[in-house]
Amino acid sequence: MFRTSLRRVSLAAALIMGSLVSSAIAQQNGPQQSTAPSAQTPAVSAPAAKVQAPPVSSASEPATGVTQPPAGNAGASLLNPDPSPPHELSPWSMFMSADIVVQLVMIGLAFASLVTWTICIAKLAELSLARRALRAALNKIGDARSLAEAQMALGAREGVLASLLASAMHEARLSAGISSDAGIKERAASSFAEIVRAESRRIRLGMGLLATIGATSPFVGLFGTVWGIMNSFIGISKSQTTNLAVVAPGIAEALLATALGLVAAIPAVIIYNYFARVTRGYTELVGRASGAAGRLLSRDLDRTHGSLSSRAAE
């Protein structure tokens, strides 16, 4: 009985131990089974990664024959999505690519500059010849005692001094028989003043145009610049880009108009100031000629009245 009960107890203990061992083994095998899918997950996703790999691999480059640009070029292509060849920023190319209004402004300023230099060359020749001729004429009549001798010394030479002498002779003939010398001299002085004013207007011909060009050319060039920059901003809004390579040519074309305006204005102002001084000196020389003609007329009048008074005394 004891043995039988002992066997039963040992059998029950063995069963209990077996159940405990089996439960322990089951608990240990549970986490391994739960982690098995996660361990198998990379194995499932690995073929997808292998499928995506060929477009990036270097082995596909010889097959397609297309090389991918480096990262730096890719960044440059993003900054410049539509690369265009650089513009030639020479004056002629900027003029040809400018707007029609800016082109007209540039043509007008170039014509104004041409007019300025034409007037400069013409006035230089005219003033130099006029001053030389008037000085030579004054030297010739320096020793003349009467209007007749002065006209004989000048001969057939034309000029402002010859006009002054002719006016004095004409007034003396018209005033023959008039005893008032003051009236004759006053009328002769009035004629002399008209001749001097006419000569001043003649010698200053073209000076007003120089003043106009010097005063208005910068503003005309500024108008062309404003118009060109306005068109550049309109182009920026249409292209929707602020790339300097797109904006720079239009701004350079606009600034060329201002440069031409200054090129036309600065020489015009300098030439005008120079000729203002030269014509002032020539006008003073004409005044000397007028004074010389007046003195000759006064001598003739005094000589005439002196002879008349001597005859009356006789």
Side-chain angles (χ1 to χ4, degrees), residues 189-274:
S190 177
S191 300
F192 293 165
E194 290 179 358
I195 294 172
V196 170
R197 284 194 298 268
E199 183 65 15
S200 298
R201 286 194 300 269
R202 185 189 69 83
I203 206 64
R204 291 179 63 87
L205 186 64
M207 299 283 290
L209 189 57
L210 286 177
T212 302
I213 292 173
T216 60
S217 292
F219 298 101
V220 174
L222 183 61
F223 167 73
T225 299
V226 171
W227 188 273
I229 292 177
M230 181 181 65
N231 288 333
S232 298
F233 282 128
I234 292 173
I236 292 171
S237 63
K238 289 182 179 179
S239 60
Q240 295 182 356
T241 179
T242 58
N243 192 355
L244 187 60
V246 178
V247 181
I251 296 177
E253 295 160 7
L255 293 176
L256 181 61
T258 299
L260 289 177
L262 295 176
V263 167
I266 293 173
V269 173
I270 294 173
I271 294 170
Y272 175 82
N273 292 332
Y274 171 74

Side-chain angles (χ1 to χ4, degrees), residues 17-103:
M17 291 296 295
S19 62
L20 292 174
V21 171
S22 62
S23 62
I25 293 172
Q27 290 178 359
Q28 291 179 359
N29 292 332
Q32 293 178 357
Q33 292 177 357
S34 62
T35 57
S38 62
Q40 294 177 358
T41 302
V44 176
S45 60
K50 291 181 180 180
V51 173
Q52 296 177 356
V56 185
S57 64
S58 61
S60 62
E61 292 179 0
T64 57
V66 178
T67 59
Q68 295 181 355
N73 294 333
S77 63
L78 290 175
L79 293 176
N80 299 322
D82 188 13
S84 58
H87 293 271
E88 183 184 359
L89 295 179
S90 63
W92 179 252
S93 63
M94 287 190 290
F95 169 75
M96 295 302 296
S97 58
D99 187 73
I100 183 64
V101 176
V102 182
Q103 286 183 350

